[in-house]
Amino acid sequence: MRYSQALIPTRKENPVDAELPSHRLLMRAGYIEQLTAGIYTLMPLAWRCVQKIERIVREELNAAGAQEILLPMVQPAEIWQLSGRWDHYGKELLRFQDRKNQDYCLSPTHEEGVTDLAKRHIRSYRSMPINLYQIQVKFRDELRPRGGLMRGREFIMKDGYSFDVDYENAEKAYKRMYDAYTRIFKRCGLSFRAVEADSGNIGGSHSHEFQVLAQTGEDRILSCSKCGYAANEEKAEVKRTVSVTSFSPDAATPAREEVYTPGQHSIDEVTTFLKAEPNQSIKTLVYLADGKPVVILMRGNDNLNEIKLQRVLDCEQLVMASDTAIEEVMGSKPGSLGPCGCTLPIYADLNVAMMHDCICGANHTDYHFIHVEPGRDFNVKAIEDLVLAQEGDACPHCGEPLQAFRGIEVGHVFLLGTKYSVPMGATYLDEKGDSHPCVMGCYGIGITRVLAAAIEQYNDENGINLPAAIAPYHVILAPLQLRSETILNTTEKIYDALQKAGIEVLYDDRDIRPGVKFKDDDLIGVPYRITIGEKNLANGKVEFKHRSDKDAQLIDVDKIVEFVKEKIAADIANVQP
Ligand code: ATP
Ligand code: MG
């Protein structure tokens, strides 16, 4: 491609609202254009990268036995009503009506669509295993689209679904997809971790997120460098040394006393005011579990893991109570809440059971209790493991301190079980003619998010610096003196030869100052640059440099094509598993 004819609208200024480096650079390097909030046009450079990512995905999934299809993006309400998600999905699901007032939605994911398809074609155990995938635009009306391609409303996703006769076979399909994902992200040149994620009621380690490691990531990961355990924060287990089901009050604790704590609400404010430490204070939280209020007690310096709580309470919906609801059920504003005298069901984390002589709110705005003794001054319905894992907590497998990382979720594999096949009636007949629901798995990759995540990992002060496997071009060809015949002829010859050798070249034929040229070339992040200038060419040489190198090396002009070819092949092979 000749640069003078390419649509690469680079910008000098950083877009004002772009906080993430990838968002800034995608805009500045002319990769994307915003149409409206969370909706972007992929310009030629981004589209080239996306197609390369898609190609890697297709190659690996096809090799793993999956088949590509394309499901309709517009979905009728009926199938979403069958699964029950028409009412439960919430506002991310964009619903609309056609001219006959029939309800439809734009698909944010395709469990319904694919289960409906499977139901029509799976008859007996002989129809399985089957594994289908598609690469398609999805729409989710995200509350806060942000970060350019990172969290769009319209974005490209690869979604795949497996159907098997039983859990044993479904687990094999899951493992094959897990392995394929590992190869895909390695081939993209990304540094990532597969981490255990919450798998709802299926349990076990049957949900993994593929997280690209980046400081700017939205997700927190905890991992153990000794045994390799890795999980997202919500799922991460902690080895608890405490294991009790009731309190053991300490008789030495003085009698409880109410103290005036004007304007002191947070744990830090209250404990500083009372000259105590956060771990001496009890944090009291109020949640609504399927609409019913429950009280949760945590040690002041611990945080609650809502997923663990939801599992303990075995409820469908868990939300934090609003300030008004709290005042209504507790008789006090948040900031002065406590368990003493409370008649609601109370659940305490294990660490609370180890506390003695503590501080808590008095359920009386601006008052706290001191010398509170668990088991003497209040009791609870249950003592449970509710704590959110933090860096330094003990690994659940080996006890080593866990390390914390930030990540970007680029993929998710999930053993669904029969969640959709049962309500939607996707069943099969076994050898004896008995009917069973198919056991499903689902597997997503955020294709456009992979590009954003790759840029988060690969950028520097000059711009984007993508690995060769997913960069928009392999080489930039930059002649310095465009008015010199010799230079032009040589450049044209190299350009032809590179293209014939299957190398993707961007020929920077723009008649501008070399400084400006190089700035743009660095910004858009093509791995290699060949610079052709009069002085070197007089000695039969051209300059060759990787985007990350400071200095160029001189290569014989008649050897350059072979040299570049080998370099790129090595780069791409290097990241292959
Ligand atoms: P998130 O927690 O980031 O919202 P999710 O759990 O909703 O993700 P899935 O439903 O598992 O995501 O979708 C599969 C993949 O699609 C995700 O792993 C992610 O890479 C990508 N993805 C999800 N939402 C978006 C979005 N709004 N923009 C871009 N990619 C997305
Ligand atoms: Mg989401």
Side-chain angles (χ1 to χ4, degrees):
M1 185 76 212
R2 285 169 200 268
Y3 204 135
S4 61
Q5 289 159 28
L7 182 58
I8 308 176
T10 55
R11 294 178 176 83
K12 285 203 182 61
E13 305 303 324
N14 275 321
V16 277
D17 58 337
E19 281 164 21
L20 289 181
S22 64
H23 185 187
R24 245 180 356 245
L25 290 170
L26 282 164
M27 299 286 292
R28 277 193 49 208
Y31 274 56
I32 59 170
E33 285 284 341
Q34 183 171 13
L35 177 61
T36 182
I39 301 185
Y40 292 87
T41 300
L42 299 181
M43 300 292 277
L45 291 182
W47 184 234
R48 289 181 73 92
C49 299
V50 163
Q51 283 178 298
K52 290 189 179 181
I53 298 165
E54 290 183 355
R55 184 165 162 203
I56 295 173
V57 168
R58 286 193 170 96
E59 282 175 8
E60 292 300 337
L61 292 180
N62 294 347
Q67 299 174 71
E68 186 169 359
I69 55 170
L70 189 60
L71 291 157
M73 191 207 182
V74 171
Q75 303 259 309
E78 287 80 42
I79 58 175
W80 286 74
Q81 280 154 352
L82 263 186
S83 74
R85 284 209 288 189
W86 186 256
D87 294 326
H88 283 123
Y89 206 97
K91 292 204 164 170
E92 272 185 33
L93 185 68
L94 185 67
R95 298 151 219 251
F96 57 94
Q97 291 191 331
D98 68 1
R99 61 169 81 203
K100 295 183 191 138
N101 300 332
Q102 302 286 335
D103 288 319
Y104 289 88
C105 65
L106 282 188
S107 213
T109 174
H110 270 89
E111 282 79 10
E112 283 76 3
V114 80
T115 310
D116 178 71
L117 179 78
K119 172 176 157 179
R120 297 159 198 246
H121 296 283
I122 293 175
R123 291 275 161 266
S124 78
Y125 64 96
R126 284 194 216 92
S127 323
M128 285 175 283
I130 194 156
N131 188 325
L132 304 170
Y133 76 94
Q134 61 173 346
I135 297 181
Q136 193 199 41
V137 168
K138 294 280 188 283
F139 193 91
R140 294 183 180 181
D141 202 355
E142 298 272 357
L143 181 62
R144 272 183 283 280
R146 58 169 216 114
L149 298 184
M150 200 62 87
R151 182 173 298 285
R153 293 198 294 159
E154 184 175 304
F155 59 98
I156 301 175
M157 196 205 281
K158 184 293 291 186
D159 48 328
Y161 308 88
S162 62
F163 295 84
D164 282 278
V165 291
D166 55 22
Y167 275 91
E168 198 186 327
N169 283 287
E171 273 168 36
K172 283 186 195 148
Y174 180 90
K175 178 78 173 61
R176 262 198 306 282
M177 288 300 108
Y178 179 101
D179 292 343
Y181 273 38
T182 305
R183 286 192 297 273
I184 288 167
F185 296 122
K186 271 193 188 162
R187 283 184 60 185
C188 288
L190 296 168
S191 153
F192 66 97
R193 284 275 165 84
V195 307
E196 287 181 20
D198 183 56
S199 50
N201 45 14
I202 291 177
S205 50
H206 286 128
S207 171
H208 285 88
E209 287 167 357
F210 286 78
Q211 295 270 1
V212 164
L213 303 179
Q215 275 307 322
T216 48
E218 200 171 65
D219 295 348
R220 282 173 190 279
I221 305 163
L222 288 147
S223 85
C224 172
S225 58
K226 190 167 167 221
C227 73
Y229 171 79
N232 79 15
E233 185 185 58
E234 289 169 345
K235 163 80 188 196
E237 303 286 335
V238 179
K239 189 176 234 163
R240 305 291 300 253
T241 43
V242 187
S243 163
V244 291
T245 51
S246 61
F247 295 128
S248 325
D250 184 347
T253 303
R256 188 178 83 194
E257 219 179 287
E258 192 176 63
V259 290
Y260 184 45
T261 49
Q264 314 298 316
H265 301 302
S266 70
I267 295 284
D268 281 340
E269 284 166 1
V270 172
T271 50
T272 310
F273 183 82
L274 295 174
K275 299 192 175 51
E277 292 298 319
N279 64 6
Q280 290 171 272
S281 142
I282 297 176
K283 197 188 284 184
T284 306
L285 307 164
V286 185
Y287 275 79
L288 298 177
D290 293 334
K292 294 200 189 80
V294 289
V295 171
I296 315 303
L297 306 182
M298 303 296 298
R299 192 172 62 182
N301 49 344
D302 290 339
N303 286 319
L304 168 71
N305 182 327
E306 292 185 359
I307 300 231
K308 285 183 180 173
L309 177 64
Q310 187 158 12
R311 215 170 291 147
V312 164
L313 298 176
D314 194 18
C315 62
E316 284 275 314
Q317 261 209 336
L318 183 71
V319 286
M320 227 178 179
S322 65
D323 288 5
T324 345
I326 290 179
E327 231 182 317
E328 204 171 291
V329 297
M330 300 292 286
S332 150
K333 287 197 169 60
S336 304
L337 304 180
C340 303
C342 173
T343 52
L344 297 172
I346 305 178
Y347 294 83
D349 176 61
L350 283 165
N351 280 346
V352 174
M354 294 297 102
M355 295 173 75
H356 297 286
D357 194 350
C358 27
I359 299 166
C360 66
N363 292 331
H364 177 185
T365 303
D366 281 343
Y367 283 87
H368 280 79
F369 284 132
I370 56 171
H371 304 314
V372 173
E373 188 57 27
R376 180 191 75 185
D377 295 312
F378 67 90
N379 239 311
V380 297
K381 184 160 177 190
I383 298 172
E384 300 279 355
D385 173 16
L386 298 174
V387 80
L388 191 68
Q390 323 184 19
E391 182 153 50
D393 282 344
C395 167
H397 295 320
C398 72
E400 275 296 295
L402 293 170
Q403 289 176 302
F405 295 93
R406 281 195 166 271
I408 300 165
E409 181 196 324
V410 287
H412 194 176
V413 292
F414 198 99
L415 188 65
L416 277 173
T418 58
K419 185 169 172 200
Y420 295 91
S421 50
V422 166
M424 296 190 67
T427 56
Y428 72 94
L429 299 176
D430 66 14
E431 290 97 322
K432 296 190 216 108
D434 293 334
S435 172
H436 304 275
C438 302
V439 182
M440 292 173 59
C442 70
Y443 317 98
I445 293 181
I447 302 279
T448 35
R449 190 183 280 182
V450 169
L451 174 57
I455 296 176
E456 290 299 326
Q457 229 166 44
Y458 292 102
N459 71 77
D460 59 21
E461 67 281 6
N462 299 320
I464 298 171
N465 186 7
L466 287 170
I470 59 170
Y473 288 94
H474 298 140
V475 186
I476 284 214
L477 202 52
L480 292 182
Q481 298 86 5
L482 282 159
R483 289 178 191 89
S484 148
E485 276 254 325
T486 344
I487 297 270
L488 278 186
N489 287 341
T490 312
T491 310
E492 291 287 340
K493 266 191 213 138
I494 299 174
Y495 182 46
D496 277 352
L498 285 171
Q499 293 194 102
K500 286 204 181 89
I503 293 164
E504 298 169 22
V505 200
L506 182 62
Y507 174 5
D508 197 346
D509 60 344
R510 295 173 301 166
D511 195 2
I512 53 174
R513 276 192 295 118
V516 179
K517 210 175 241 200
F518 293 160
K519 252 204 153 61
D520 269 349
D521 296 348
D522 279 350
L523 177 63
I524 65 177
V526 174
Y528 292 104
R529 186 173 78 209
I530 301 170
T531 311
I532 301 127
E534 259 166 350
K535 214 171 85 210
N536 289 320
L537 199 60
N539 300 320
K541 309 267 187 196
V542 292
E543 271 187 20
F544 175 83
K545 160 184 176 321
H546 187 273
R547 167 73 177 70
S548 308
D549 293 340
K550 231 172 126 231
D551 301 314
Q553 46 180 320
L554 293 175
I555 308 288
D556 286 346
V557 73
D558 49 354
K559 299 211 178 84
I560 188 71
V561 175
E562 208 41 43
F563 185 81
V564 171
K565 206 173 146 185
E566 275 169 25
K567 279 273 183 199
I568 291 162
D571 282 358
I572 293 177
N574 260 344
V575 298
Q576 269 176 5

Short mmCIF file of all heavy atoms in Angstrom, two decimals, residues 92 140 142 151 449, ligand 2:
data_model
loop_
_atom_site.label_atom_id
_atom_site.label_comp_id
_atom_site.label_asym_id
_atom_site.label_seq_id
_atom_site.Cartn_x
_atom_site.Cartn_y
_atom_site.Cartn_z
N GLU A 92 -28.70 -3.56 29.08
CA GLU A 92 -27.65 -3.78 28.07
C GLU A 92 -28.24 -4.41 26.81
O GLU A 92 -27.66 -4.32 25.73
CB GLU A 92 -26.56 -4.70 28.63
CG GLU A 92 -25.48 -3.94 29.35
CD GLU A 92 -24.35 -4.83 29.79
OE1 GLU A 92 -24.04 -5.82 29.10
OE2 GLU A 92 -23.77 -4.53 30.84
N ARG A 140 -24.08 -4.28 23.00
CA ARG A 140 -24.48 -4.22 24.41
C ARG A 140 -24.58 -2.77 24.77
O ARG A 140 -23.60 -2.03 24.62
CB ARG A 140 -23.44 -4.90 25.30
CG ARG A 140 -23.33 -6.38 25.06
CD ARG A 140 -22.35 -7.04 26.01
NE ARG A 140 -22.29 -8.47 25.72
CZ ARG A 140 -21.54 -9.34 26.37
NH1 ARG A 140 -20.79 -8.94 27.37
NH2 ARG A 140 -21.55 -10.60 26.04
N GLU A 142 -23.93 -0.77 26.98
CA GLU A 142 -23.16 -0.63 28.22
C GLU A 142 -23.50 0.69 28.89
O GLU A 142 -23.62 1.73 28.22
CB GLU A 142 -21.65 -0.65 27.91
CG GLU A 142 -21.14 -1.94 27.28
CD GLU A 142 -20.73 -2.98 28.31
OE1 GLU A 142 -20.78 -2.70 29.51
OE2 GLU A 142 -20.36 -4.09 27.87
N ARG A 151 -14.18 -1.06 25.95
CA ARG A 151 -15.56 -1.36 26.32
C ARG A 151 -16.49 -0.54 25.44
O ARG A 151 -16.86 0.58 25.75
CB ARG A 151 -15.82 -1.06 27.81
CG ARG A 151 -17.24 -1.40 28.26
CD ARG A 151 -17.44 -1.27 29.75
NE ARG A 151 -16.60 -2.17 30.51
CZ ARG A 151 -16.82 -3.49 30.62
NH1 ARG A 151 -17.88 -4.04 30.05
NH2 ARG A 151 -16.01 -4.24 31.30
N ARG A 449 -11.42 -5.99 21.57
CA ARG A 449 -10.75 -5.71 22.85
C ARG A 449 -9.32 -6.28 22.84
O ARG A 449 -8.44 -5.72 23.48
CB ARG A 449 -11.55 -6.28 24.02
CG ARG A 449 -11.01 -5.81 25.34
CD ARG A 449 -11.74 -6.40 26.52
NE ARG A 449 -13.00 -5.73 26.82
CZ ARG A 449 -13.78 -6.07 27.84
NH1 ARG A 449 -13.43 -7.06 28.64
NH2 ARG A 449 -14.91 -5.44 28.05
MG MG B 2 -20.13 -7.18 30.44
#
